[in-house]
Amino acid sequence: MEKIMETLYIVMPAYNEEDNIKTVVEQWYPLLDGKSEDSRLVIADSGSNDKTHEILMNLSKTNYPKIEILSNTNQYHGPKVIALYDYAIKNGADYIFQTDSDGQTNPDEFAAFWNERNRYDGIFGNRVIREDGNDRAFVEHTVCALLKIYFGVRVPDANAPFRLMKAETVKKYLYRMSVDYNLPNIMLTTWFSYYNENISFKEISFKPRQAGVNSINIPKIVKIGFTALGDFRRFKKNMG
């Protein structure tokens, strides 16, 4: 009997990543090998004002035909992630793997997630050791504490950009959020846990940004955090 290959969509938001994007594509694109021919690497780069889009277009026309580029999304990270998940679902993905385009995650750690895909609805990265600064680690610990208070869920890392999820499970929760919501990964982790989806957390490495400038700084994180508190209350009211 011929083995049925599953369709994997690797999705990445990008913003002004001209210094990283070529290397990141070269590292992640080979992971489509051994998956169905419909598998894709999809990158949302709307809003970039450097050469990110030009580089991606050149890559897609040369050695990387399975790259697809979304350039009509909201420019911010969260809305891009939502648009990417929506695109993967509507184009028939079986599994969605999300990571970022800044070179902080390690493609070599993907296989451990993929090998257990049939056991779980979602496998989430856990950044036990973070090389991107203590301030960001503190923010993540605070987020996890707030999720415990608001939703009664215990998760070690709510927002890691290294997650493999069944598309059908993402679909159950994605459309509870508005298209411009800022923290979709945090809420997806929360819903997967709250509704007892079969999930696992695996330790991953997390490097400093490899090049370029991070578009999210601590003042922005604090501002988003205050908004998130109201969002959490609103989401909780609608959770049975």
Side-chain angles (χ1 to χ4, degrees):
M1 180 180 295
E2 183 179 356
K3 182 178 179 181
I4 298 175
M5 292 185 176
E6 294 151 317
T7 299
L8 168 68
Y9 269 55
I10 300 174
V11 300
M12 299 177 182
Y15 179 75
N16 288 349
E17 293 290 357
E18 65 180 5
D19 294 328
N20 289 311
I21 198 66
K22 184 176 185 291
T23 298
V24 169
V25 167
E26 291 171 343
Q27 291 175 335
W28 285 95
Y29 190 88
L31 298 183
L32 298 177
D33 291 345
K35 319 302 186 295
S36 84
E37 283 300 310
D38 295 325
S39 297
R40 295 290 184 271
L41 171 59
V42 188
I43 302 173
D45 76 327
S46 180
S48 293
N49 52 31
D50 63 0
K51 294 182 179 179
T52 300
H53 186 76
E54 178 183 341
I55 294 169
L56 285 171
M57 291 300 296
N58 288 336
L59 290 170
S60 69
K61 293 175 181 177
T62 53
N63 298 323
Y64 303 95
K66 291 186 178 181
I67 289 178
E68 296 192 3
I69 305 162
L70 304 187
S71 56
N72 60 346
T73 67
N74 184 307
Q75 75 177 54
Y76 297 107
H77 184 279
K80 283 181 177 176
V81 170
I82 291 174
L84 287 162
Y85 290 156
D86 176 64
Y87 186 84
I89 290 167
K90 290 178 177 176
N91 283 277
D94 296 310
Y95 289 90
I96 305 171
F97 180 83
Q98 188 268 322
T99 191
D100 285 345
S101 56
D102 51 19
Q104 291 184 267
T105 55
N106 184 355
D108 293 339
E109 296 173 343
F110 172 81
F113 283 57
W114 185 250
N115 291 340
E116 294 195 353
R117 66 191 181 281
N118 294 320
R119 296 181 56 194
Y120 299 103
D121 299 303
I123 308 175
F124 302 91
N126 179 17
R127 298 166 289 182
V128 175
I129 299 174
R130 298 185 59 158
E131 297 181 42
D132 60 336
N134 292 332
D135 50 357
R136 289 176 175 272
F138 173 77
V139 169
E140 182 60 40
H141 292 320
T142 301
V143 167
C144 291
L146 289 172
L147 296 181
K148 180 181 176 183
I149 293 169
Y150 274 81
F151 303 102
V153 301
R154 294 175 179 267
V155 296
D157 193 336
N159 201 31
F162 199 103
R163 52 184 60 215
L164 178 67
M165 302 172 289
K166 289 182 177 177
E168 62 183 3
T169 311
V170 175
K171 185 178 179 180
K172 290 167 63 174
Y173 306 113
L174 182 66
Y175 303 108
R176 298 185 180 198
M177 297 177 281
S178 63
V179 297
D180 60 350
Y181 184 58
N182 277 315
L183 304 173
N185 276 345
I186 289 175
M187 283 312 304
L188 284 175
T189 306
T190 300
W191 281 317
F192 272 55
S193 181
Y194 184 88
Y195 290 109
N196 296 314
E197 304 292 355
N198 193 9
I199 63 175
S200 175
F201 289 86
K202 285 187 175 295
E203 183 174 345
I204 62 168
S205 58
F206 200 68
K207 297 175 286 188
R209 165 176 276 275
Q210 298 304 288
V213 178
N214 201 314
S215 62
I216 298 292
N217 52 38
I218 294 301
K220 286 184 179 179
I221 290 173
V222 171
K223 183 178 179 180
I224 291 171
F226 277 114
T227 303
L229 297 180
D231 293 331
F232 288 170
R233 286 192 290 269
R234 177 171 54 83
F235 285 130
K236 184 64 172 67
K237 288 180 181 179
N238 295 322
M239 294 167 66

